[in-house]
Amino acid sequence: MIEEIQFYEPNEDYGFLSNFSHSPIHLSDVTWPTSEHYYQAQKFTNSEIVQEILNAPTPDDAFQLSRKYAHLVKSDWMDVRHSVMRYIVFEKFRQNPHFTHLLVSTGEKLLTEHSHKDSYWGDGGDGRGQNELGKILMEVRDYFAEQEPFKHVHFVDSAKLPTQWGTFQMYGFVERATGKEHLALVYGELKQGEPPLIRLHSECLTGDALFSARCDCGFQLSRAMENIVNAGSGVLFYLRQEGRGIGLINKIRAYHLQDDGADTVEANEALGFAADMRNYEFCKGMLSFLNIESVKLMTNNPRKVKALKTAGINIVERVALQEGNNPHNSGYLKTKASKLGHMFDSSFIK
Ligand SMILES: Nc1nc2c(ncn2[C@@H]2O[C@H](COP(=O)(O)OP(=O)(O)OP(=O)(O)O)[C@@H](O)[C@H]2O)c(=O)[nH]1
Ligand SMILES: [Zn+2]
């Protein structure tokens, strides 16, 4: 049974789908406040009417103006209105990527404009209408679902996450290629043009949750969250890449080999894995959802720096995150430096 999303008012659930939702659309040298403004204005050839509709304070006013001048609608409007609507809905999402992420995140659901006033663009309120706007939205969704950066993750939901340092807003994403569930913990306000302090933290159950001293992850995680709160804003991306991508059980097998003398790279390779199996491509989708283009990145790992640069993310600053050196992990840290290129100060790994 295909799930259905019914939308109508811009301020209700899925309101971004409505033509009345605020979504600036720049066409040649004009900025239309909503797709509704543009659609209603195209009914007329009289430039003064077009200008009056463009300047209408709300989409509802734009709609009322087109009713007021109904006797002046151009003669071929009924022949062209569908292509006008399709064009402006596509442009709305092309120019407002956050909305595009939300649209793509509706997955395969049926999108229905639940409008008792309109049985052409909507369902007529009784489900018997043509729902032409819903059909256009699903077509536009299918297109963007295969495009960068929308194809990597679906946003599902967000909720507050109070912590000892401060309260983050937790965003849940599902990676389309693997089904893995990744998080973005956002603190404070992410301001356009101000690169936020971020961390791409790879999941380490033993370090992050079981207080393990044989790696530096848990120490880094708490420090990173504290740093973000102290900076006033930022994002901790929690990536389900346990064991540098080989998973928890394989990491235990790798630890066992390390208990018998192998180093962290040799152990992975003895199990038939590369030293590091992680891929960060999908992070593009989460960064784009949050409208982040430049970052200050907390890491010691040159591969992460490279991965983000390859993903087109501008790293304005790399912030070292050297935490938790102790007798149980000093060999591990030394191997990360010598074999995986981790950038540690000599004072950190004595
Ligand atoms: N396979 C394997 N994974 C490990 C081992 N120790 C830690 N990990 C995993 O390594 C990941 C963290 O990678 P690190 O190299 O510690 O740090 P990084 O995230 O690459 O780099 P930083 O951003 O500087 O912390 C987590 O997924 C851990 O589960 C190990 O001995 N073997
Ligand atoms: Zn760890």
Side-chain angles (χ1 to χ4, degrees):
M1 155 85 160
I2 294 186
E3 267 186 84
E4 179 180 36
I5 290 173
Q6 290 190 345
F7 67 93
Y8 187 61
E9 294 295 347
N11 56 358
E12 290 170 349
D13 284 355
Y14 299 99
F16 70 93
L17 294 169
S18 161
N19 281 328
F20 280 41
S21 62
H22 179 71
S23 51
I25 307 163
H26 315 284
L27 298 173
S28 39
D29 54 357
V30 174
T31 299
W32 298 86
T34 69
S35 42
E36 184 69 14
H37 281 79
Y38 178 86
Y39 175 79
Q40 295 302 342
Q42 302 320 302
K43 294 179 177 178
F44 305 96
T45 49
N46 177 313
S47 56
E48 283 167 21
I49 296 176
V50 170
Q51 195 61 40
E52 194 179 349
I53 292 176
L54 169 61
N55 296 330
T58 70
D60 199 47
D61 295 325
F63 175 80
Q64 296 307 334
L65 280 169
S66 88
R67 287 286 174 277
K68 175 182 164 193
Y69 297 117
H71 58 292
L72 295 172
V73 169
K74 58 191 180 189
S75 57
D76 68 343
W77 175 246
M78 294 306 276
D79 303 333
V80 301
R81 65 173 177 163
H82 194 278
S83 49
V84 168
M85 181 66 89
R86 197 176 172 290
Y87 166 73
I88 197 60
V89 169
F90 182 87
E91 277 304 306
K92 165 181 169 178
F93 287 97
R94 191 180 68 79
Q95 297 190 29
N96 293 277
H98 186 71
F99 278 1
T100 319
H101 279 289
L102 293 174
L103 174 65
V104 169
S105 296
T106 62
E108 305 291 319
K109 295 187 181 76
L110 173 64
L111 304 179
T112 302
E113 186 187 40
H114 188 50
S115 162
H116 54 283
K117 292 181 221 159
D118 190 330
S119 59
Y120 177 73
W121 294 119
D123 67 355
D126 57 6
R128 290 210 292 256
Q130 290 179 234
N131 185 36
E132 293 299 329
L133 175 58
K135 289 174 191 164
I136 288 174
L137 285 163
M138 289 183 278
E139 242 183 79
V140 170
R141 176 180 67 192
D142 290 349
Y143 171 79
F144 283 110
E146 301 313 318
Q147 305 300 313
E148 286 287 355
F150 309 107
K151 65 183 183 182
H152 293 291
V153 294
H154 278 181
F155 164 70
V156 179
D157 207 343
S158 78
K160 288 201 181 331
L161 185 78
T163 73
Q164 66 191 80
W165 300 286
T167 296
F168 291 73
Q169 188 67 17
M170 172 169 58
Y171 291 80
F173 297 88
V174 175
E175 186 183 353
R176 285 180 68 196
T178 63
K180 286 189 175 183
E181 299 162 335
H182 304 286
L183 295 181
L185 304 186
V186 178
Y187 183 80
E189 189 197 341
L190 303 182
K191 293 186 189 118
Q192 265 308 82
E194 285 180 26
L197 180 64
I198 76 160
R199 167 136 179 90
L200 298 180
H201 189 84
S202 301
E203 176 185 23
C204 173
L205 182 79
T206 47
D208 298 341
L210 303 178
F211 313 104
S212 165
R214 71 181 295 171
C215 67
D216 53 348
C217 308
F219 306 101
Q220 288 181 305
L221 179 60
S222 41
R223 175 69 71 204
M225 291 181 78
E226 187 179 357
N227 288 351
I228 287 169
V229 170
N230 291 340
S233 67
V235 186
L236 182 104
F237 291 92
Y238 196 81
L239 311 178
R240 315 305 294 279
Q241 301 172 313
E242 175 62 73
R244 291 199 301 268
I246 69 173
L248 180 60
I249 297 300
N250 283 323
K251 184 172 82 172
I252 298 172
R253 295 168 67 208
Y255 276 168
H256 185 160
L257 293 172
Q258 293 173 60
D259 292 346
D260 295 345
D263 72 25
T264 184
V265 170
E266 291 159 348
N268 262 36
E269 290 166 349
L271 294 172
F273 296 111
D276 193 335
M277 299 290 283
R278 288 172 290 182
N279 164 301
Y280 300 94
E281 182 86 0
F282 67 92
C283 296
K284 266 197 264 190
M286 296 193 285
L287 286 156
S288 165
F289 178 87
L290 294 170
N291 222 359
I292 296 174
E293 293 170 348
S294 296
V295 297
K296 292 176 200 155
L297 179 66
M298 284 185 276
T299 186
N300 311 311
N301 184 341
R303 292 180 190 204
K304 284 189 188 177
V305 174
K306 186 162 171 278
L308 276 188
K309 285 184 177 166
T310 312
I313 302 296
N314 177 26
I315 299 176
V316 298
E317 186 186 342
R318 180 187 74 85
V319 179
L321 194 64
Q322 301 174 116
E323 299 295 330
N325 188 354
N326 69 72
H328 300 290
N329 67 12
S330 56
Y332 163 69
L333 293 175
K334 286 193 179 94
T335 304
K336 286 211 293 183
S338 59
K339 290 192 173 179
L340 298 176
H342 282 236
M343 300 171 274
F344 293 128
D345 299 335
S346 49
S347 55
F348 177 64
I349 40 170
K350 315 172 197 54

